[in-house]
C-alpha cells in the first residue's frame, strides 16, 4: 500500500554492552541477548515491534507513556517493556486481550488531546502517534476532552490559555506545541545525545509542557544549538524540519558524508525526485553514530543559492568584467595562457592548490596535474595553514601523519586533555560524544587562552583550565613533561618496550632542567604552577589519558614543536596504542586528512613519500608515463613570495579561498595580482576570484561521487544525489583542463570515466591504500587507512604493537618565544577561532539560514581592556597590527584574559587576515594565526583598506551581460 | 619590520626562516642538529629558495646563525636556475 522509505529500524532502547548473555522467550520465540537489554529491544531483534511512544533507541528508556506494556508469566501486573530488562528463562507475551485493551485506553487518552488533522499534518506518513493508533487498533475516542492543548478557543469563543502558538524562530525547524504528547524524547535527546540541556519539561501533569529554557525563550534565543537531535527524536509533528513542512515527505534516501568538518558525519540525504528534502544523520555512521550538528544537518542551502556560478567565465585582465563562455572556450583560453607562461618562464612558474573540501579523488587529480602535466611539484593545500605541523610533528615522533584513534575511543577515556581546540564550536559531534563521556565521570583538562564552552557548560566542568598567554604552548607542554619526569610519573616499562630509551634519557634530562619547571615558566605563560602540576599528575596517573588538539596548537611559530611535545607526553605516559588514549588532531575541514594523504604537499607524493625517493618516483613514473621532478616544490607562502618576485605566474586553485583564509591579506593580494593566470575553481565568486582570469564553476558534494577522509583516517563515501548544476563534477573539470593542456603535446590523455577508477589508481600506487576500493567501502560502510594486506579491514587504532616508525622518538622541545611581541604600539595579543554555526571562510554557511546565529565577526575583549580604551558593548573598534588594520564590532566578556582579544574569521568584510602577520611555523611555514600583537581603539566606520578592498571586489565581480 | 616587504627582496625572509629552523636544531646534540638542519632545508625548500639562501651565504652569510653557516656545506646547491 504505502511505499514510503523505510526508516532505520528503531529498537526502542540503546544496545546493552555486557558480554554476559541471557536467553528468554518472547511470544514463544527463544532469543539470546546481552544482559541489561530491555525486553522491548529483545523483542525488536526477533522482529516483534512492541507499540511504544516515549522510547527510541538513541536515548535511555524513561517509561512514561505506558503503551509498551507486556505480560511476563509468573510476574504480577503489566510492566513496561522499555524499562524492564531481560532475565534468564522468562516467558514474555507482547499481545493478548488484556494488553490490547490497556493500550487502546492509553491511546484514547492521547488522541483526545490531539488535533485530528492527520491528512493535512506535515508529519502525515511520518508520525509515530498515527502509527501507534493504527497498531493498537484504535477505532473511536469515547469521550471529548474539555481542556485541551490544541483548541485555539473554547466553544464559548474564549481564548484557550493552554494553547501555545507555533514557534518558528529557528530557521530550520518549527516547534508546534499543540501536537506535543509530552513524551520527553526531545528533552532527553538534547541532554543525552547533544549535551546542551536546552529543553526542559515545565509544569506537572496536564500542565507539563516542553520549553526552551525560560518562559520568554524562543527556540532561537535559547541555548539551543540547532543540532536537530530533538527533531529526530520527536515522534510527532511537534518538532519538525521546515523543509518537510514545505516540500512533503521524501521518497528515497542516499547515504553520504557531510562536507563541512573533519568529524565526517554520515547522513541520509532524503530526496523527492532530485529535490533534497532533508539531511538526517545516519545511525550506522561510525563517526557520528546517528548524531549531527547544525551545519551538516541543515546548512545545505548554499547548493541552490542564487550566488552560485554555473557557467565558466574568463577575462584578459582582472580589471575587465567577467565573460561567460562555454566549457570548451574556457579550457582553450586557460590551456593557452598556462602553456604561454610555461614557455616563457619555465615549467616551475606555475602550480596548483588542492582543496580540503573536495574529494580524495579530486585532490589526487589536481596534484597529478601539476606533477604529470605541468611537470613540477608546486602543489599545496589549505592544510598548510592549519595542520601541516601535525604532519611534521607526528611523522617525526610516531612515524605517521595522522591521529592515532577512532572517535569511539573517547568512550573509554578517563582523562581528556584538550589543547588549543574548541570542539563544541568546530567539531560539535565529537564534542557531544566527549561530553557524554565527561558526564559519566571522565576528567577534563583544557589548555586554551580563552574560557571556551568546553571549560564550563551544563553538567561539564574542566578539572583544570590552563589559560595560557597565546604563544606559550611549548613552554606549557614542556612544563607538563617536566612534572611527569621529575615526579617519576612516567611509564618506564612502556618507554623501554616501545621507544628509544637513550633518547628518552636525553629528553628527560632536558625537560628536568629548572628553567622548564612550571614555577619558572609561570611568568611567561601566566598559568599558576600548582595548576600545571595538578594537570600533569592527573593526565599521567588518571587512567586512560587522551589528548585532542586543534589549530590553537599548530598555528604558531612553534606549531611543530608543540605537536612533538604532545607526542612526547603521550609516549612517556604510555598513552598510545589502545582504546581510550592517543594523540588526536582535530582537523578543520572535511577532507584535510584526505587532501594531505593524496600528495597535496609539494615535497611528497601520495602516501607521504618524499619526492627525493627514487623508488617512489619510479612507481608514479610508470603509472603516469612521465618523469617526476625530484626537488620539492613551492608551498603556498613560497608561491606568493615567488609571484611577487616575478618567477611564479600561473595558479590553479581548486575549492580554496586563499585571499580570505591565508594570513597577511595584503601580501596574498600582491602575489595574486602579480600572476598572469589565476584559475579559480569554486562554487562562488570568492575573494580570491577578485584576482582571477578564469573562473571554473564547481560542484557540491551532493552532485558527485567520491570519498572524504575524516580526522580518524576514515574513508567515507560521498554519493551523487543529483546532477551537477554546473554540468560537471570537479574531477571531470580537472581532467578537461589536463587534456586541454595535453592537446598537441602528444602526452597521453586522461580517460577517467568514474571516480572509482581514480581510487583504483591510488590503491595501486599507495601502500597504505592498497586494500581500498569502492566495492570494499560499499560493503564495510567505511574504512580507516592503512588498509592493505596486513590490515585488510583497515586500522581503527594505530601503533598498537609498535610505532609505525619502529621505536617512538623523543625530541627536545626548546621554547623559543615568538618574535610577535606586544609593545607600546601593539599592547594586546589577538588570537582567532571559530564558532559553531559558521564554517571556515563562511562561503557556504553565510549563504544559509545559519546567519541567524552569526551575522558578523565580533571582537571579544576583556572588560578591563575595554574600559581603559573607552570601548562599550557593540561599538565599532579599529583593530590594528603591524600588517594592517580593520574594523569590527566589540563584545565585552571575561572569557578572554586581560591583554588578550579574540575574533573569528568567517566574514570577508571583517578581513581579520589583514591583521595577521607573516610569521610562520619554523618547520612547515604554517602561519602564526594564533598570536598577533594588536591595538584596539574606538572607530566610527570601515578602515581605508576595507573600503578600497570592497571597491576593488565590486569592480572585479562584474559579469558582462550576454549579448 | 615586515618580512613580506616587497622592496626588501627575498633574502630577509629566508634568513629569518633559516634561523628559525636553526633555533630548533640548536637544542639537539650538535652533530645531529647540523645534519638535520641541512636535510630539513634540502627536503622542504624549493630550489629557488635555496638559491636565494646561497646568495646570502656566498656573500658571507650575514645575519645567519652559526649553525646555518656550519650546515651550509651539506645544503644542496640547486643545479639549474629555476
Ligand atoms: S536542536 Fe539540539 S540543542 Fe536544540 S533543543 Fe534540539 S537537541 Fe537541543
Ligand atoms: S516535542 Fe515531540 S519529542 Fe518532545 S515531548 Fe513533545 S512530542 Fe515528545
Ligand atoms: S559539520 Fe562536522 S560535526 Fe557537523 S554534521 Fe558535518 S561532519 Fe558532523
Ligand atoms: S515506550 Fe515504554 S513506556 Fe513509553
Amino acid at each position: 500500500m504505502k511505499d514510503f522509505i523505510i526508516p532505520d529500524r528503531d529498537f526502542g532502547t540503546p544496545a546493552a554492552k555486557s558480554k554476559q548473555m541471557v536467553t528468554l522467550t518472547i511470544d514463544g520465540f527463544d532469543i539470546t541477548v546481552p544482559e541489561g537489554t530491555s525486553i522491548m529491544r529483545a523483542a525488536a531483534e526477533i522482529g516483534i515491534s512492541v507499540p511504544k511512544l516515549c522510547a527510541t533507541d538513541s536515548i535511555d528508556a524513561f517509561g512514561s507513556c505506558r503503551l509498551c506494556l507486556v505480560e511476563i508469566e509468573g510476574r504480577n501486573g503489566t510492566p513496561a517493556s522499555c524499562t524492564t530488562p531481560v532475565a534468564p528463562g522468562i516467558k514474555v507475551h507482547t499481545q493478548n486481550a488484556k494488553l490490547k485493551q490497556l493500550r487502546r485506553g492509553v491511546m484514547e487518552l492521547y488522541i483526545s488531546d490531539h488535533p485530528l488533522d492527520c491528512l493535512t499534518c506535515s508529519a502525515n506518513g511520518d508520525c509515530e502517534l498515527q502509527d501507534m493508533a493504527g497498531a493498537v487498533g484504535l477505532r473511536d475516542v469515547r469521550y471529548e476532552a474539555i481542556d485541551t492543548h490544541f483548541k485555539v478557543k473554547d466553544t464559548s469563543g474564549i481564548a484557550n490559555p493552554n494553547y501555545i502558538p507555533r514557534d518558528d524562530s529557528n530557521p530550520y525547524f518549527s516547534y508546534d506545541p499543540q501536537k506535543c504528547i509530552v513524551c520527553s524524547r526531545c528533552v532527553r535527546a538534547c541532554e543525552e545525545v547533544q549535551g546542551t540541556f536546552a529543553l526542559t519539561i515545565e509544569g506537572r501533569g496536564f500542565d507539563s509542557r516542553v520549553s526552551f529554557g525560560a518562559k520568554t525563550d524562543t527556540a532561537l534565543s535559547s541555548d539551543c544549538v540547532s543540532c536537530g537531535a530533538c527533531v529526530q527524536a520527536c515522534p510527532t509533528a511537534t518538532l519538525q524540519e521546515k523543509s518537510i513542512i514545505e516540500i512533503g515527505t521524501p521518497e528515497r534516501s542516499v547515504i553520504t558524508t557531510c562536507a563541512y568538518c573533519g568529524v565526517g558525519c554520515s547522513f541520509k540525504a532524503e530526496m523527492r525526485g532530485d529535490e533534497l528534502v532533508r539531511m538526517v544523520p545516519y545511525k550506522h555512521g561510525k563517526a557520528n553514530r546517528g548524531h549531527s550538528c547544525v551545519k551538516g544537518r541543515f546548512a545545505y542551502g548554499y547548493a541552490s543559492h542564487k550566488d552560485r556560478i554555473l557557467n565558466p567565465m574568463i577575462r584578459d585582465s582582472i580589471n575587465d568584467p567577467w565573460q561567460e563562455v562555454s566549457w570548451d572556450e574556457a579550457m582553450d583560453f586557460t590551456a593557452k595562457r598556462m602553456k604561454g607562461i610555461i614557455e616563457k618562464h619555465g615549467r616551475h612558474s606555475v602550480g596548483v592548490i588542492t582543496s580540503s573540501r573536495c574529494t580524495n579523488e579530486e585532490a589526487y587529480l589536481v596534484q597529478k596535474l601539476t606533477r604529470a602535466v605541468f611537470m613540477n611539484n608546486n602543489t599545496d593545500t589549505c592544510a598548510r595553514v592549519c595542520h601541516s605541523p601535525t604532519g611534521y610533528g607526528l611523522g617525526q615522533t610516531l612515524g605517521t601523519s595522522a591521529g592515532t584513534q577512532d572517535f569511539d575511543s573517547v568512550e573509554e577515556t578517563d582523562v581528556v586533555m584538550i589543547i588549543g581546540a574548541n570542539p563544541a564550536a568546530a567539531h560539535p559531534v565529537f564534542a557531544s560524544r566527549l561530553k557524554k563521556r565527561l558526564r559519566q565521570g571522565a576528567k577534563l583538562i583544557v589548555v586554551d587562552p580563552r574560557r571556551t564552552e568546553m571549560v564550563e557548560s551544563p553538567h561539564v566542568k574542566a578539572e583544570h583550565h590552563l589559560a595560557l598567554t597565546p604563544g606559550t604552548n611549548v613552554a606549557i607542554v614542556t612544563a607538563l613533561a617536566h612534572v611527569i619526569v621529575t615526579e617519576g610519573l612516567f611509564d618506564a616499562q612502556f618507554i623501554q618496550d616501545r621507544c628509544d630509551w637513550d633518547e628518552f634519557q636525553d629528553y628527560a634530562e632536558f625537560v628536568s632542567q629548572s628553567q622548564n619547571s612550571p614555577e619558572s615558566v609561570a611568568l611567561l605563560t601566566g598559568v599558576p604552577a600548582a595548576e600545571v602540576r595538578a594537570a600533569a599528575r592527573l593526565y599521567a596517573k588518571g587512567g586512560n589519558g587522551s589528548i585532542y588538539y586543534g589549530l590553537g596548537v599548530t598555528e604558531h611559530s612553534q606549531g611543530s614543536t608543540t605537536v612533538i611535545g604532545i607526542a612526547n607526553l603521550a609516549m612517556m605516559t604510555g598513552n598510545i596504542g589502545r582504546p581510550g588514549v592517543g594523540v588526536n588532531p582535530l582537523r578543520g575541514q572535511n577532507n584535510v586528512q584526505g587532501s594531505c594523504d593524496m600528495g597535496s604537499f609539494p615535497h611528497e607524493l601520495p602516501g607521504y613519500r618524499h619526492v627525493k625517493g627514487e623508488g617512489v618516483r619510479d612507481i608514479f613514473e610508470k603509472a603516469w608515463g612521465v618523469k617526476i621532478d625530484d626537488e620539492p616544490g613551492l608551498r603556498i607562502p613560497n608561491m606568493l613570495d615567488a609571484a611577487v618576485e616575478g618567477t611564479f605566474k600561473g595558479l590553479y586553485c581548486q575549492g580554496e579561498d586563499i585571499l580570505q583564509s591565508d594570513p597577511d591579506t595584503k601580501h596574498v593580494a600582491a602575489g595574486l595580482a602579480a600572476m598572469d593566470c589565476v584559475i579559480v575553481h569554486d562554487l562562488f565568486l570568492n575573494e580570491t576570484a577578485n584576482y582571477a582570469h578564469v573562473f571554473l564553476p564547481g560542484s557540491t558534494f551532493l552532485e558527485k561521487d567520491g570519498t572524504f577522509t575524516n580526522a580518524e583516517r576514515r574513508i567515507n563515501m560521498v554519493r551523487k544525489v543529483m546532477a551537477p548544476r554546473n554540468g560537471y563534477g570537479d574531477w571531470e573539470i580537472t581532467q578537461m583542463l589536463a587534456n586541454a593542456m595535453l592537446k598537441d603535446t602528444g602526452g597521453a590523455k586522461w580517460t577517467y570515466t568514474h571516480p572509482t577508477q581514480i581510487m583504483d589508481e591510488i590503491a595501486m600506487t599507495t601502500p597504505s591504500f592498497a586494500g581500498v576500493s569502492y566495492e570494499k567501502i560499499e560493503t564495510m560502510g567505511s574504512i580507516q587507512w592503512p588498509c592493505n594486506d596486513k590490515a585488510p579491514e583497515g586500522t581503527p587504532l594505530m601503533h598498537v604493537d609498535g610505532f609505525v616508525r619502529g621505536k617512538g622518538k623523543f625530541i627536545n622541545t626548546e621554547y623559543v618565544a615568538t618574535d610577535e611581541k606586544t609593545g607600546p604600539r601593539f599592547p594586546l595579543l589577538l588570537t582567532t577561532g571559530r564558532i559553531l554555526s559558521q564554517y571556515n571562510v563562511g562561503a557556504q554557511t553565510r549563504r544559509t539560514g545559519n546567519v541567524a546565529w552569526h551575522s558578523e565577526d565580533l571582537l571579544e575583549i576583556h572588560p578591563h581592556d575595554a574600559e581603559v580604551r573607552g570601548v562599550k558593548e557593540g561599538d565599532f573598534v579599529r583593530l590594528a597590527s603591524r600588517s594592517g588594520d580593520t574594523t569590527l564590532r566589540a563584545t565585552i566578556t571575561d572569557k578572554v584574559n586581560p591583554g588578550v582579544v579574540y575574533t573569528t574569521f568567517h566574514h570577508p568584510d571583517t578581513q581579520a587576515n589583514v591583521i595577521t602577520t607573516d610569521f610562520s611555523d619554523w618547520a612547515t611555514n604554517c602561519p602564526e594565526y594564533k598570536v598577533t600583537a594588536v591595538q584596539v581603539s574606538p572607530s566610527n566606520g570601515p578602515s581605508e583598506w576595507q573600503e578600497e578592498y570592497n571597491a576593488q571586489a565590486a569592480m572585479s565581480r562584474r559579469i558582462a551581460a550576454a549579448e | 619590520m615586515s618580512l613580506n616587504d616587497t622592496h626588501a627582496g627575498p633574502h630577509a625572509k629566508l634568513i629569518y626562516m633559516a634561523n628559525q629552523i636553526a633555533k630548533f636544531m640548536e637544542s639537539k646534540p650538535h652533530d645531529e642538529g647540523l645534519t638535520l638542519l641541512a636535510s630539513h632545508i634540502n627536503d622542504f625548500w624549493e630550489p629557488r629558495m635555496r638559491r636565494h639562501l646561497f646568495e646570502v651565504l656566498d656573500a658571507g652569510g650575514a645575519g645567519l646563525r652559526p649553525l646555518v653557516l656550519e650546515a651550509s656545506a651539506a645544503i644542496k646547491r640547486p643545479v639549474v636556475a629555476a
Side-chain angles (χ1 to χ4, degrees):
Chain A
M1 216 166 58
K2 78 177 176 182
D3 198 9
F4 177 63
I5 43 168
I6 300 168
D8 283 318
R9 189 90 203 275
D10 183 351
F11 288 84
T13 64
K17 283 206 175 125
S18 173
K19 299 233 153 56
Q20 200 67 40
M21 301 303 277
V22 171
T23 302
L24 67 158
T25 314
I26 301 176
D27 292 343
F29 297 101
D30 282 346
I31 163 93
T32 305
V33 291
E35 191 173 20
T37 304
S38 68
I39 291 179
M40 176 180 281
R41 189 176 176 104
E45 285 188 9
I46 46 173
I48 296 174
S49 306
V50 183
K52 65 176 183 61
L53 279 172
C54 69
T56 186
D57 60 9
S58 61
I59 48 181
D60 289 336
F62 191 57
S64 69
C65 75
R66 309 287 302 158
L67 195 64
C68 65
L69 310 177
V70 292
E71 273 198 317
I72 303 171
E73 284 179 24
R75 285 199 202 172
N76 288 336
T78 49
S81 65
C82 62
T83 47
T84 311
V86 294
I90 56 170
K91 293 193 166 47
V92 178
H93 299 280
T94 72
Q95 181 82 340
N96 60 31
K98 180 173 166 200
L99 293 171
K100 284 196 275 190
Q101 201 197 345
L102 283 170
R103 286 190 191 132
R104 272 189 208 142
V106 170
M107 277 314 289
E108 237 180 314
L109 267 178
Y110 274 114
I111 298 301
S112 65
D113 188 12
H114 198 86
L116 294 179
D117 57 358
C118 283
L119 273 185
T120 51
C121 176
S122 53
N124 188 2
D126 186 18
C127 171
E128 293 180 41
L129 188 67
Q130 202 178 52
D131 293 348
M132 288 308 119
V136 305
L138 184 72
R139 294 298 168 251
D140 58 45
V141 176
R142 285 164 300 178
Y143 42 81
E144 194 184 340
I146 302 169
D147 288 329
T148 73
H149 293 101
F150 67 88
K151 288 186 189 142
V152 185
K153 290 179 177 154
D154 69 14
T155 37
S156 58
I158 297 175
N160 174 3
N162 294 317
Y163 174 81
I164 306 175
R166 190 158 96 176
D167 175 351
D168 272 326
S169 61
N170 182 296
Y172 300 118
F173 63 82
S174 65
Y175 168 52
D176 190 358
Q178 61 161 329
K179 304 220 158 146
C180 180
I181 58 169
V182 204
C183 65
S184 87
R185 273 160 69 159
C186 54
V187 177
R188 287 174 287 143
C190 190
E191 292 175 6
E192 291 174 35
V193 180
Q194 165 59 23
T196 293
F197 295 77
L199 294 172
T200 51
I201 301 276
E202 258 182 22
R204 327 189 97 223
F206 179 80
D207 289 330
S208 46
R209 309 303 290 262
V210 170
S211 138
F212 283 90
K215 266 246 145 49
T216 49
D217 277 352
T218 60
L220 189 66
S221 65
S222 73
D223 290 341
C224 167
V225 294
S226 197
C227 70
C230 57
V231 180
Q232 249 147 285
C234 182
T236 65
T238 315
L239 286 164
Q240 194 166 44
E241 295 91 352
K242 288 183 174 172
S243 60
I244 293 276
I245 300 176
E246 275 153 31
I247 302 169
T249 46
E251 44 85 24
R252 71 192 158 99
S253 76
V254 183
I255 313 282
T256 190
T257 305
C258 175
Y260 276 118
C261 89
V263 177
C265 296
S266 298
F267 277 88
K268 290 195 297 183
E270 298 193 344
M271 310 292 299
R272 176 158 287 282
D274 68 351
E275 183 168 25
L276 180 59
V277 180
R278 66 175 167 190
M279 295 283 277
V280 182
Y282 182 48
K283 215 155 109 176
H284 308 292
K286 290 190 183 120
N288 55 320
R289 306 273 172 201
H291 190 37
S292 66
C293 84
V294 59
K295 293 187 285 271
R297 177 87 152 91
F298 295 118
Y300 49 79
Y302 67 87
S304 50
H305 194 274
K306 63 170 174 38
D307 286 356
R308 211 177 134 187
I309 306 284
L310 300 173
N311 295 307
M313 303 192 294
I314 58 173
R315 59 181 169 189
D316 258 328
S317 132
I318 60 166
N319 302 316
D320 296 339
W322 285 108
Q323 212 73 49
E324 285 191 357
V325 292
S326 70
W327 280 101
D328 280 347
E329 280 172 90
M331 290 301 161
D332 282 348
F333 176 89
T334 314
K336 205 160 136 230
R337 274 220 169 186
M338 291 299 267
K339 280 197 229 169
I341 293 172
I342 295 172
E343 229 160 72
K344 194 156 155 217
H345 301 278
R347 66 186 162 99
H348 293 114
S349 60
V350 295
V352 299
I353 294 177
T354 73
S355 174
S356 303
R357 281 161 36 200
C358 288
T359 63
N360 285 322
E361 293 74 7
E362 288 163 344
Y364 178 87
L365 286 195
V366 173
Q367 61 90 32
K368 177 172 174 178
L369 176 72
T370 215
R371 296 201 154 110
V373 179
F374 299 164
M375 310 298 287
N376 62 46
N377 285 316
N378 296 330
T379 167
D380 208 355
T381 182
C382 91
R384 173 68 51 213
V385 300
C386 60
H387 266 292
S388 51
T390 290
Y392 181 82
L394 298 186
Q396 293 286 312
T397 48
L398 312 179
T400 179
S401 306
T404 62
Q405 311 296 112
D406 56 7
F407 288 134
D408 284 350
S409 162
V410 77
E411 292 172 11
E412 291 178 54
T413 194
D414 301 309
V415 180
V416 182
M417 178 141 64
I418 302 181
I419 311 181
N422 183 9
H427 302 86
V429 165
F430 168 71
S432 290
R433 299 186 67 178
L434 170 64
K435 284 180 179 172
K436 188 168 191 170
R437 181 66 193 154
L438 294 172
R439 288 195 304 274
Q440 291 166 354
K443 301 273 185 293
L444 175 66
I445 301 164
V446 175
V447 185
D448 201 297
R450 192 166 156 265
R451 203 176 70 236
T452 61
E453 293 95 309
M454 293 313 296
V455 176
E456 203 168 351
S457 62
H459 301 266
V460 169
K461 192 171 182 331
E463 217 71 17
H464 305 287
H465 175 206
L466 313 183
L468 75 179
T469 304
T472 59
N473 286 331
V474 170
I476 280 283
V477 168
T478 308
L480 289 168
H482 174 95
V483 177
I484 293 171
V485 169
T486 56
E487 297 190 7
L489 309 172
F490 53 88
D491 182 343
Q493 190 63 49
F494 181 92
I495 301 168
Q496 257 158 356
D497 291 351
R498 304 280 302 267
C499 307
D500 187 316
W501 182 253
D502 287 339
E503 276 167 3
F504 174 69
Q505 294 299 317
D506 280 349
Y507 180 70
E509 195 184 312
F510 162 75
V511 296
S512 304
Q513 293 163 10
S514 68
Q515 82 262 22
N516 291 323
S517 73
E519 290 72 18
S520 312
V521 300
L523 263 184
L524 227 60
T525 61
V527 183
E531 276 291 289
V532 178
R533 286 194 180 268
R537 290 172 197 142
L538 179 60
Y539 171 71
K541 289 290 169 200
N544 283 340
S546 53
I547 302 180
Y548 292 84
Y549 71 89
L551 305 182
V553 159
T554 52
E555 290 175 347
H556 285 284
S557 296
Q558 281 200 290
S560 292
T561 315
T562 311
V563 174
I564 290 170
I566 288 172
N568 288 341
L569 285 178
M571 288 190 292
M572 75 171 84
T573 53
N575 276 318
I576 291 253
R578 61 177 191 278
V581 299
V583 176
N584 304 278
L586 291 169
R587 306 256 173 187
Q589 307 201 47
N590 56 315
N591 203 33
V592 178
Q593 181 69 53
S595 67
C596 297
D597 302 344
M598 292 299 109
S600 294
F601 287 139
H603 64 283
E604 54 199 14
L605 286 154
Y608 304 99
R609 291 165 295 167
H610 202 282
V611 292
K612 71 184 174 192
E614 212 171 305
V616 184
R617 286 202 313 275
D618 200 47
I619 297 173
F620 288 94
E621 288 180 354
K622 288 216 173 82
W624 296 344
V626 295
K627 183 139 186 55
I628 290 173
D629 199 329
D630 62 355
E631 285 278 16
L634 295 166
R635 303 172 282 198
I636 295 172
N638 315 142
M639 287 181 192
L640 294 165
D641 294 341
V644 169
E645 182 191 306
T647 61
F648 188 82
K649 291 286 188 186
L651 177 68
Y652 171 43
C653 180
Q654 180 176 73
E656 291 299 339
D657 192 359
I658 55 169
L659 186 58
Q660 201 191 340
S661 65
D662 284 41
D664 199 352
T665 309
K666 288 181 182 174
H667 182 61
V668 180
L672 288 169
M675 295 187 207
D676 291 339
C677 185
V678 174
I679 308 158
V680 168
H681 180 173
D682 212 308
L683 300 174
F684 303 103
L685 273 178
N686 60 19
E687 306 303 307
T688 308
N690 297 345
Y691 291 90
H693 307 86
V694 179
F695 185 89
L696 303 175
S699 52
T700 70
F701 75 113
L702 298 166
E703 300 166 340
K704 60 197 180 191
D705 289 313
T707 56
F708 290 152
T709 307
N710 76 355
E712 25 158 37
R713 294 169 279 106
R714 186 184 300 287
I715 310 166
N716 274 317
M717 271 314 232
V718 176
R719 291 186 178 85
K720 183 169 166 177
V721 301
M722 57 178 79
R725 293 182 63 218
N726 57 324
Y728 296 99
D730 297 324
W731 60 276
E732 293 172 284
I733 295 167
T734 306
Q735 168 157 296
M736 283 195 279
L737 181 56
N739 286 338
M741 293 289 298
L742 290 167
K743 198 153 72 186
D744 48 66
T745 63
K749 286 239 158 139
W750 294 9
T751 54
Y752 305 103
T753 55
H754 191 273
T756 184
Q757 298 157 341
I758 307 172
M759 183 51 87
D760 292 344
E761 186 174 314
I762 297 166
M764 196 182 73
T765 51
T766 308
S768 49
F769 278 71
V772 179
S773 67
Y774 277 23
E775 251 183 320
K776 193 183 262 180
I777 305 176
E778 292 285 351
T779 24
M780 292 186 52
S782 64
I783 302 176
Q784 287 174 276
W785 68 257
C787 172
N788 46 33
D789 285 345
K790 271 191 267 163
E793 306 262 276
T795 314
L797 296 180
M798 298 279 270
H799 317 294
V800 173
D801 303 310
F803 287 103
V804 170
R805 71 181 300 283
K807 291 269 181 195
K809 188 175 173 64
F810 285 95
I811 300 174
N812 290 358
T813 51
E814 178 96 36
Y815 172 68
V816 181
T818 168
D819 287 318
E820 185 65 22
K821 290 189 175 72
T822 53
R825 276 180 68 212
F826 303 113
L828 302 171
L829 284 178
L830 167 75
T831 181
T832 57
R834 298 167 189 232
I835 58 130
L836 168 71
S837 57
Q838 300 290 333
Y839 168 74
N840 203 19
V841 295
Q844 289 126 299
T845 40
R846 272 186 287 116
R847 293 183 171 92
T848 68
N850 280 21
V851 287
W853 289 276
H854 186 80
S855 52
E856 61 182 330
D857 293 319
L858 293 173
L859 184 78
E860 289 186 0
I861 183 166
H862 189 273
H864 174 77
D865 292 326
E867 199 190 326
V868 298
R869 288 170 176 76
V871 170
K872 291 185 299 301
E873 179 70 26
D875 279 1
F876 263 117
V877 292
R878 175 172 176 273
L879 176 66
S881 76
R882 64 184 168 80
S883 282
D885 64 298
T886 189
T887 51
L888 71 174
R889 279 181 207 278
T891 180
I892 297 168
T893 170
D894 64 357
K895 278 186 197 156
V896 290
N897 282 341
V900 176
V901 290
Y902 167 90
T903 190
T904 51
F905 56 97
H906 300 295
H907 292 266
D909 286 347
T910 319
Q911 293 282 342
N913 279 328
V914 175
I915 309 301
T916 53
T917 68
D918 44 15
F919 287 136
S920 66
D921 175 46
W922 65 270
T924 65
N925 270 183
C926 178
E928 185 165 55
Y929 281 129
K930 298 292 179 182
V931 199
T932 312
V934 294
Q935 178 58 296
V936 173
S937 50
S939 146
N940 31 26
S943 72
E944 214 174 289
W945 161 261
Q946 275 166 308
E947 277 172 359
E948 268 170 37
Y949 183 91
N950 286 338
Q952 195 275 343
M955 278 297 282
S956 170
R957 289 201 179 117
R958 287 170 303 154
I959 300 176
E963 292 95 80
Chain B
M1 173 202 63
S2 172
L3 299 172
N4 281 338
D5 191 343
T6 340
H7 309 294
H11 294 145
K13 192 166 180 176
L14 291 172
I15 293 171
Y16 184 85
M17 284 164 55
N19 287 343
Q20 253 185 311
I21 302 168
K23 281 186 200 163
F24 179 80
M25 299 300 173
E26 281 160 16
S27 72
K28 292 177 178 287
H30 181 77
D31 289 352
E32 192 190 344
L34 205 59
T35 325
L36 288 176
L37 191 153
S39 64
H40 190 92
I41 290 184
N42 289 336
D43 283 355
F44 296 101
W45 286 28
E46 200 255 4
R48 250 168 287 189
M49 300 166 69
R50 300 207 307 271
R51 199 179 68 226
H52 288 313
L53 181 66
F54 275 104
E55 286 159 12
V56 177
L57 283 166
D58 294 346
L64 288 167
R65 292 176 83 85
L67 198 69
V68 184
L69 298 179
E70 215 182 316
S72 64
I75 298 176
K76 273 204 303 195
R77 208 175 260 273
V79 226
V80 274

